[in-house]
Amino acid sequence: LNIETIKWAGDLGGCAELIDQTLLPGEFKILQVRDVKTMWEAIKKLQVRGAPAIGIAAGFGLILGLQEIADDAPLEGAREKLKEVGAYLSSSRPTAVNLFWALERLQKTAQNCKATNTRELKEKLLAEAQVIRDEDAAMCRAIGEHGAPLIGENAGVLTHCNAGGLATADYGTALAVMFRAHEQGRKFSVYADETRPLLQGARLTTWELMQAGIDTTLICDNMAGHLMSQGKINLIITGADRIAANGDTANKIGTYSLAVLAKAHDIPFYIAAPSSTFDLSIPDGSHIPIEQRNPEEVTSFGNKPTAPENVKVYNPAFDVTPHHLITAIITEHGVISPPNLNTIRRMLL
Amino acid sequence: LNIETIKWAGDLGGCAELIDQTLLPGEFKILQVRDVKTMWEAIKKLQVRGAPAIGIAAGFGLILGLQEIADDAPLEGAREKLKEVGAYLSSSRPTAVNLFWALERLQKTAQNCKATNTRELKEKLLAEAQVIRDEDAAMCRAIGEHGAPLIGENAGVLTHCNAGGLATADYGTALAVMFRAHEQGRKFSVYADETRPLLQGARLTTWELMQAGIDTTLICDNMAGHLMSQGKINLIITGADRIAANGDTANKIGTYSLAVLAKAHDIPFYIAAPSSTFDLSIPDGSHIPIEQRNPEEVTSFGNKPTAPENVKVYNPAFDVTPHHLITAIITEHGVISPPNLNTIRRMLL
């Protein structure tokens, strides 16, 4: 499997290249993103999505924003621009904390680096944005390594949305666990929720798993409980968009229902996420802002309406799963089980 | 609200007329069904759907099959034809018992009626098929009457799939309860699951509820648990396709998950169904055959693929909710609570 979800092409004057995920699996197209507004829209429209990947995208977005300032312009102006562009990119999507984490990390780099001119500042920031991307790839491998033992021979694994290579720089979070178990030679089956309304599971997760040669079955979200009642699911692994200090986890809408169903069927429920997805500044999930998206995602397909005109729609992009429903959180540092204030602090701090 | 989901047009040589539900809400088209093969396909393709409605459709289908026999043909041949057409229609969809119930009822009419020639036999059968339709309309009203008190002022009601006028001769089962509570002047909100893969909730339920002037919000199936956790849902009402002697209930895929979620959130979960949906010949839900449908319902929309070619798909049309998760079953005879072997027999026998 070799997916370059997002990367920087060229030098300081270059551009970000990303796979346009709204076109998959029908069309594989690399989008060249040459300005910050286009990056903002790529994040908003989910051309790039997945918490770790949008962190990387935001980092590259900052560089694109800075390109509007000449290399020989005064350093103070560049620093001002940096703040302005950071605030702008922050407004693209509210829930995944990796986006804010990456932007803050680059702001700190700008504050702490000893750049003496604007060109130098840009160089340091691009280097750091690249580091974020490279770290993400390494983190995916580590998550895969830590999580793989959880998938036993002949297991039935359920996943929701896409927490694969397309959601990260490489290899994924939840899917990393499956890729690694597969590399280790274990046979198992994955059931992928299609994940309404935008079908990331149907379009992206099945595509990645099939490319890796993993036995994959697509289901509608509402079939998961039925499968559990039939004993077909031995464990559930999903990604995460933000994890509070106590382990409460925001992830794609529908994750909470799966966790409740898992509990009712005595099935372990795992979250796979890097440390950058933790937000230790908030005590619990009630403080995580939940993005509300456009009703048309639910009421039409392509341009064809699938519901009456003017019907009211409730379309939250995420829900919050309380930590007591989560068996463990698989991070690049190890498996946190059970996740709570103490076990999380012990692993991450 | 005035929907004529299905009716017979003309005399013995007439045809069945039904609303093509695959085209709603975009297009309102009456389909004239003039032969039994077309009726079989209309049932299979869900142009007519909903357990009570396909019972009625099967009844009219028998008449269409008999039209192939001349009015002055020998009576024995007509009786043979009747059996053959009944077996053929039985093969259209396996789960909803109303289909078999209607066909058996008409076979019994044929056995017991004192028809002396083929024309007379046809007349008796058409009259009985009409009675089934008229009884269904009366049954809807009775279910609405019995169930309406369960919806309190300002309640949030969740429903799944379509158990409305379009699933019956008139007025519906689960939706009948809402229509009646609305007529009685109560204010409440309904959340309608879109119901993947065929979107009966998005296309049909919202359409019916909005026409009746009931406050309606469309959600994706995977959002229901999140709504429950926020306290927005006070009760759940769905229809049913087959109810075993102990109250175990087959209904549209996803119903079981809702029942588990309802239990976890202490929300009452109701089934609304006529006595013709009960199958007292089977002790429990494990004996209900579950229809598996075409993978393309999940992997494409219109003709546009939404998943990789050749992906494996699991696409059961129904699941079974065990009776212990059902607070009550609302029938035309009254409310069965809690549903079990004894309470069901007491109400129905």
Side-chain angles (χ1 to χ4, degrees):
Chain A
L1 193 74
N2 211 336
I3 300 172
E4 286 203 303
T5 304
I6 180 163
K7 66 172 179 183
W8 186 262
D11 57 10
L12 264 189
C15 68
E17 289 187 348
L18 51 89
I19 299 171
D20 184 346
Q21 300 190 35
T22 61
L23 303 177
L24 287 173
E27 191 181 340
F28 186 94
K29 188 180 162 189
I30 303 289
L31 204 65
Q32 294 192 315
V33 181
R34 301 186 174 280
D35 60 85
V36 63
K37 182 162 181 291
T38 305
M39 185 60 92
W40 188 95
E41 282 168 359
I43 296 171
K44 183 77 179 177
K45 288 196 271 184
L46 277 52
Q47 291 173 310
V48 58
R49 29 70 47 206
I54 68 177
I56 299 164
F60 290 151
L62 268 191
I63 311 299
L64 293 171
L66 275 188
Q67 285 179 346
E68 295 171 21
I69 301 283
D71 283 1
D72 56 1
L75 193 55
E76 258 330 288
R79 288 186 189 281
E80 275 309 303
K81 182 71 179 178
L82 192 65
K83 280 180 197 155
E84 180 195 304
V85 174
Y88 173 62
L89 285 165
S90 291
S91 70
S92 58
R93 297 194 72 195
T95 302
V97 79
N98 310 61
L99 188 142
F100 308 101
W101 170 87
L103 292 172
E104 272 166 37
R105 178 163 159 176
L106 290 170
Q107 297 288 358
K108 267 186 208 147
T109 299
Q111 280 156 29
N112 299 336
C113 76
K114 310 255 183 300
T116 55
N117 60 52
T118 293
R119 184 176 173 84
E120 213 179 311
L121 179 70
K122 287 185 186 180
E123 278 166 353
K124 304 247 184 205
L125 287 171
L126 178 55
E128 185 71 8
Q130 296 275 28
V131 167
I132 290 177
R133 184 189 175 282
D134 296 345
E135 283 180 4
D136 191 74
M139 162 282 286
C140 291
R141 299 280 158 177
I143 287 178
E145 207 60 57
H146 288 301
L150 298 170
I151 300 182
E153 186 72 13
N154 296 319
V157 186
L158 177 69
T159 190
H160 188 65
C161 198
N162 174 268
L166 290 165
T168 59
D170 167 45
Y171 208 66
T173 53
L175 294 199
V177 176
M178 302 173 209
F179 292 142
R180 190 67 193 121
H182 180 68
E183 286 164 9
Q184 291 171 350
R186 270 188 313 294
K187 295 238 177 314
F188 56 93
S189 301
V190 180
Y191 292 90
D193 276 354
E194 63 174 6
T195 315
R196 283 284 292 158
L198 294 178
L199 302 175
Q200 293 94 332
R203 296 188 299 106
L204 311 177
T205 297
T206 58
W207 184 73
E208 287 195 37
L209 291 168
M210 287 167 77
Q211 286 203 346
I214 295 173
D215 179 58
T216 306
T217 301
L218 174 63
I219 61 170
C220 297
D221 301 310
N222 63 23
M223 296 168 187
H226 177 57
L227 274 177
M228 292 185 213
S229 76
Q230 295 188 311
K232 298 271 178 67
I233 306 295
N234 300 102
L235 69 158
I236 302 173
I237 318 178
T238 76
D241 288 81
R242 191 185 299 212
I243 304 173
N246 71 344
D248 292 355
T249 295
N251 189 46
K252 178 56 56 196
I253 185 74
T255 303
Y256 168 70
S257 291
L258 292 182
V260 173
L261 287 162
K263 187 82 159 186
H265 293 88
D266 244 329
I267 295 168
F269 180 85
Y270 301 109
I271 295 286
S275 51
S276 55
T277 301
F278 287 78
D279 181 356
L280 301 184
S281 76
I282 54 172
D284 60 54
S286 68
H287 295 78
I288 302 176
I290 299 295
E291 178 183 6
Q292 300 290 330
R293 293 187 59 87
N294 195 320
E296 277 148 37
E297 291 182 353
V298 179
T299 58
S300 64
F301 189 93
N303 292 319
K304 202 184 163 200
T306 56
E309 251 186 290
N310 303 323
V311 64
K312 279 201 288 185
V313 174
Y314 178 61
N315 185 19
F318 304 96
D319 57 27
V320 174
T321 299
H323 66 101
H324 65 85
L325 294 177
I326 301 168
T327 309
I329 302 177
I330 307 159
T331 75
E332 75 272 35
H333 302 304
V335 176
I336 306 173
S337 172
N340 59 44
L341 196 64
N342 293 326
T343 55
I344 289 171
R345 290 179 67 86
R346 212 175 303 141
M347 183 70 78
L348 298 187
L349 296 186
Chain B
L1 192 74
N2 211 336
I3 300 171
E4 286 204 303
T5 303
I6 180 164
K7 66 173 181 182
W8 187 262
D11 57 11
L12 263 190
C15 68
E17 289 188 349
L18 52 89
I19 299 171
D20 184 347
Q21 299 190 35
T22 61
L23 304 177
L24 286 173
E27 191 181 340
F28 186 95
K29 186 178 161 190
I30 302 288
L31 203 66
Q32 294 191 316
V33 181
R34 299 186 176 279
D35 60 84
V36 64
K37 182 161 181 293
T38 305
M39 184 60 92
W40 188 94
E41 283 168 358
I43 296 170
K44 183 77 178 178
K45 290 196 271 186
L46 277 54
Q47 291 173 311
V48 59
R49 30 66 51 205
I54 68 176
I56 299 163
F60 290 152
L62 268 190
I63 311 300
L64 293 171
L66 274 187
Q67 285 178 346
E68 295 171 21
I69 302 282
D71 283 2
D72 56 1
L75 193 54
E76 258 331 288
R79 288 187 190 279
E80 275 310 302
K81 181 74 178 174
L82 192 64
K83 279 179 199 157
E84 179 196 305
V85 174
Y88 173 63
L89 286 165
S90 292
S91 69
S92 58
R93 297 194 73 195
T95 303
V97 77
N98 310 61
L99 187 143
F100 308 101
W101 169 87
L103 291 172
E104 272 166 38
R105 178 162 159 178
L106 289 171
Q107 297 289 358
K108 267 187 205 144
T109 300
Q111 279 156 30
N112 299 338
C113 77
K114 310 258 185 299
T116 55
N117 60 53
T118 293
R119 182 177 175 83
E120 214 178 310
L121 179 70
K122 288 185 185 179
E123 278 166 352
K124 304 248 184 204
L125 286 172
L126 177 56
E128 186 70 8
Q130 296 275 26
V131 167
I132 290 176
R133 184 189 175 283
D134 296 345
E135 282 179 5
D136 190 74
M139 164 280 287
C140 291
R141 300 279 158 178
I143 287 177
E145 207 60 59
H146 289 299
L150 298 171
I151 301 181
E153 185 75 10
N154 297 319
V157 186
L158 177 69
T159 190
H160 189 64
C161 197
N162 175 270
L166 290 165
T168 59
D170 168 46
Y171 208 65
T173 53
L175 294 199
V177 175
M178 302 173 207
F179 292 141
R180 189 67 192 120
H182 180 68
E183 286 165 10
Q184 290 170 353
R186 270 190 312 293
K187 295 236 177 313
F188 55 94
S189 299
V190 180
Y191 292 90
D193 274 355
E194 63 174 5
T195 316
R196 283 283 292 158
L198 295 178
L199 302 175
Q200 293 93 335
R203 297 188 299 107
L204 311 177
T205 297
T206 57
W207 184 73
E208 287 194 37
L209 290 169
M210 288 166 77
Q211 286 202 346
I214 294 173
D215 180 57
T216 306
T217 302
L218 175 63
I219 62 170
C220 297
D221 302 309
N222 63 22
M223 297 168 186
H226 177 58
L227 275 176
M228 292 184 211
S229 76
Q230 297 187 310
K232 298 270 179 66
I233 307 295
N234 300 102
L235 69 158
I236 301 173
I237 319 178
T238 76
D241 288 82
R242 193 187 296 212
I243 304 173
N246 71 343
D248 291 355
T249 295
N251 189 47
K252 179 55 58 196
I253 186 73
T255 303
Y256 168 70
S257 291
L258 292 182
V260 173
L261 286 162
K263 188 80 158 188
H265 295 87
D266 245 329
I267 296 168
F269 180 84
Y270 300 109
I271 295 287
S275 51
S276 55
T277 301
F278 287 78
D279 180 357
L280 301 184
S281 76
I282 54 172
D284 60 55
S286 67
H287 295 79
I288 302 176
I290 299 295
E291 177 183 7
Q292 299 292 329
R293 293 186 60 87
N294 196 321
E296 278 148 37
E297 291 181 354
V298 179
T299 57
S300 64
F301 188 92
N303 292 320
K304 201 184 162 199
T306 56
E309 250 186 289
N310 303 322
V311 65
K312 279 201 289 184
V313 174
Y314 178 62
N315 185 20
F318 304 95
D319 57 26
V320 174
T321 299
H323 65 101
H324 66 85
L325 294 176
I326 301 168
T327 310
I329 301 176
I330 308 158
T331 76
E332 75 270 37
H333 302 303
V335 177
I336 305 174
S337 173
N340 59 44
L341 196 65
N342 292 327
T343 55
I344 288 170
R345 290 180 67 86
R346 211 176 302 138
M347 184 68 79
L348 298 188
L349 296 186

